[in-house]
Amino acid sequence: MFKEILLPIDLDEPSSWAKALPTAVELCRASPARLHILTVVPEFRRPGVIEVLPNDYERRVLAEANRRLNVLIEEKVPPAVPTRPIVATGTIYKVIIDTADGIPADLIVMASHRPELSDYLLGPNAARVVRHSSRSVMVVR
Ligand code: ADP
């Protein structure tokens, strides 16, 4: 059914993977498909910020995100599902769209929003991915 599935997650927000990850895993098993799990470290290079950060700050932040993503994969993804961790930096929704195009992914699976923000049903990144990506998107409620 699918060949390449992209699951974008926020490492600091368990609700971004609690339901979406098992859903993506099930779809991968049924297809069968490869699972690409992406986490984006938001862009922090701004004038006034970059000058005061240590030189290797970006490398260390990305390395730590990579470590946490691999721990999550080891704990939550069955070994039989071929999985690729991806850590990137930039504007979250743009990186998700570009990564999906680059793979190329035939499906993006993502959670809709943080549950505590119940006054809207689609978070800003989920909404932009649905609106601007040419790929199929499954929004997991
Ligand atoms: P909210 O502001 O309620 O968290 P978002 O639209 O930012 O709403 O989050 C919805 C989904 O967007 C998340 O479940 C995840 O799939 C994706 N997302 C959010 N932040 C990141 C991130 N840093 N890296 C990768 N994906 C993210």
Side-chain angles (χ1 to χ4, degrees), residues 66-67 70 93-94 96 107 129:
N66 197 50
R67 188 192 67 75
N70 279 295
Y93 80 96
K94 285 187 185 157
I96 296 172
L107 181 68
V129 171

Side-chain angles (χ1 to χ4, degrees), residues 7-13 15-17 20 38-42 86 88 90 92-93 95-96 108-117 120 122-129 140:
L7 172 74
I9 62 163
D10 178 351
L11 281 174
D12 295 321
E13 187 46 66
S15 68
S16 74
W17 73 77
L38 164 70
T39 195
V40 183
V41 177
I86 310 170
I92 295 169
Y93 80 96
V95 176
I96 296 172
I108 301 171
V109 176
M110 63 195 300
S112 54
H113 63 103
R114 275 172 280 170
E116 62 268 27
L117 304 177
Y120 61 86
L122 206 53
N125 289 297
R128 288 182 178 118
V129 171
V140 180

Side-chain angles (χ1 to χ4, degrees), residues 51-108:
E51 291 85 351
V52 297
L53 293 175
N55 282 342
D56 62 346
Y57 181 83
E58 180 169 356
R59 188 190 58 75
R60 285 167 52 195
V61 169
L62 292 176
E64 175 60 8
N66 197 50
R67 188 192 67 75
R68 291 173 66 197
L69 182 54
N70 279 295
V71 169
L72 187 94
I73 289 171
E74 212 167 300
E75 284 176 358
K76 310 267 184 221
V77 181
V81 176
T83 305
R84 183 165 76 109
I86 310 170
V87 176
T89 185
T91 304
I92 295 169
Y93 80 96
K94 285 187 185 157
V95 176
I96 296 172
I97 290 170
D98 290 348
T99 302
D101 289 343
I103 289 171
D106 36 25
L107 181 68
I108 301 171

